[in-house]
Amino acid sequence: MSGIDDLPALRDVIARHELAAKKSLGQNFLLDLNLTARIARLAGDLTGADVLEIGPGPGGLTRGLLASGARRVLAIEKDPRCLPALAEIAAAYPGRLQVIAGDALAIDPLQYLQTPIKVAANLPYNVGTELLVRWLTPQDWPPFWHSLTLMFQREVAERIVAQPGGKAYGRLALLAQWRADAQIMMNLPPEVFSPPPKVHSAVVHLTALPAPRFPADPGVLNMVVAAAFNQRRKMLRSALKSVSPVIEDHLNAVGIKPTERAEQVGLEAFCALARSIAAAR
């Protein structure tokens, strides 16, 4: 038995189901159930909440979430090899775990969940950033989720919480801090994973704000910051010329020098620029 429930140790589950992690699916499994339970607790009080988990693999974090009192967990898993192991967890927690086989990028989880909803996941490396951007840029706000507790490569986590002026500051920082409070809660070394990745990892906790810090259309803001930081060494009048043929006029109108570079511009100014561009369409 493991330290958090009556199910077998995770290493035994992986061996019995022959669940060698696949690099093509961005898999790196956490083997220490005490550690997965600790990550689950970083999501806050889970009693009375539904939890969305992406890429549960053999179910280490899933078990942590259930042991921590989550009302229900919806786990979306792309790898069919993991489904038997997840079915064993569902049997041990009757009515509290629903597993959906498929691609998280193609599944609408809202038809399966009831508010309040929290997201907690050791995100597969190959889809983590795309999912985060989707969760941060819906047209309507507040979003379906109350909080996100997500594991990323540490470099990605540092980009989420970065401030203007540094190398890590960019699109993820702007989108995350526009509509949420973001904080790195835990760092994890490679050796706690199977197989050990070549990079360190970190858990980021984001809490949705009731309203964005500054008004802006999410689609326009995402487009502007993506273009700006795609060519971050260029002056903004050059980096953003594909966004608007009169981009220099928009920059001047909101008080941004056209010769500035993206990393020099703060969130409020980018939101003002997005509003100016949207108003001219």
Side-chain angles (χ1 to χ4, degrees), residues 169-189:
Y169 178 67
R171 177 189 179 211
L172 287 183
L174 282 154
L175 295 180
Q177 296 168 39
W178 175 45
R179 285 174 151 178
D181 285 326
Q183 182 180 0
I184 293 177
M185 305 294 289
M186 181 191 298
N187 291 300
L188 297 102

Side-chain angles (χ1 to χ4, degrees), residues 7 25 83 195 232 246:
L7 290 164
L25 294 175
L83 300 182
R232 59 190 301 145
V246 291

Side-chain angles (χ1 to χ4, degrees), residues 9-237:
L10 203 58
R11 192 178 296 276
D12 295 338
V13 173
I14 291 172
R16 179 159 47 88
H17 292 284
E18 298 181 350
L19 295 178
K22 285 188 175 181
K23 186 177 181 180
S24 62
L25 294 175
Q27 292 175 330
N28 295 93
F29 300 146
L30 274 172
L31 298 181
D32 186 340
L33 287 167
N34 291 315
L35 183 56
T36 63
R38 181 181 170 195
I39 294 169
R41 290 193 293 271
L42 294 178
D45 184 4
L46 299 180
T47 57
D50 281 8
V51 180
L52 171 62
E53 182 185 8
I54 307 297
L61 179 57
T62 313
R63 289 164 63 175
L65 294 167
L66 291 165
S68 296
R71 179 175 63 196
R72 286 181 66 253
V73 174
L74 175 68
I76 300 177
E77 177 55 60
K78 189 174 183 179
D79 186 354
R81 301 176 308 146
C82 296
L83 300 182
L86 294 171
E88 293 173 0
I89 301 172
Y93 292 91
R96 293 178 58 202
L97 172 62
Q98 181 177 2
V99 181
I100 297 179
D103 186 348
L105 296 173
I107 294 172
D108 177 10
L110 294 187
Q111 59 184 307
Y112 306 100
L113 298 168
Q114 295 182 345
T115 57
I117 300 167
K118 298 186 176 187
V119 181
N122 172 14
L123 289 174
Y125 283 164
N126 52 0
V127 298
T129 299
E130 183 172 352
L131 283 168
L132 177 61
V133 170
R134 287 191 185 190
W135 291 330
L136 291 171
T137 57
Q139 194 64 36
D140 297 323
W141 197 266
F144 75 86
W145 51 271
H146 175 269
S147 67
L148 308 173
T149 306
L150 306 172
M151 189 182 304
F152 294 98
Q153 296 178 43
R154 189 165 68 187
E155 178 184 343
V156 176
E158 289 170 348
R159 283 160 50 197
I160 292 169
V161 302
Q163 297 300 310
K167 291 183 178 180
Y169 178 67
R171 177 189 179 211
L172 287 183
L174 282 154
L175 295 180
Q177 296 168 39
W178 175 45
R179 285 174 151 178
D181 285 326
Q183 182 180 0
I184 293 177
M185 305 294 289
M186 181 191 298
N187 291 300
L188 297 102
E191 55 266 23
V192 301
F193 296 91
S194 176
K198 295 180 180 179
V199 296
H200 283 69
S201 301
V203 177
V204 183
H205 184 75
L206 299 98
T207 304
L209 296 172
R213 286 191 160 89
F214 307 102
D217 178 273
V220 176
L221 180 62
N222 188 22
M223 175 188 64
V224 168
V225 297
F229 287 96
N230 188 46
Q231 303 182 73
R232 59 190 301 145
R233 294 183 179 181
K234 288 189 175 182
M235 295 181 219
L236 282 173
R237 66 184 176 197

Side-chain angles (χ1 to χ4, degrees), residues 118 124 142 237 259 273 275:
K118 298 186 176 187
R237 66 184 176 197
T259 55
L273 179 59
R275 293 196 302 273

Side-chain angles (χ1 to χ4, degrees), residues 260-273:
E260 285 190 292
R261 291 174 172 79
E263 59 268 27
Q264 299 172 285
V265 179
L267 171 60
E268 184 174 7
F270 266 116
C271 289
L273 179 59

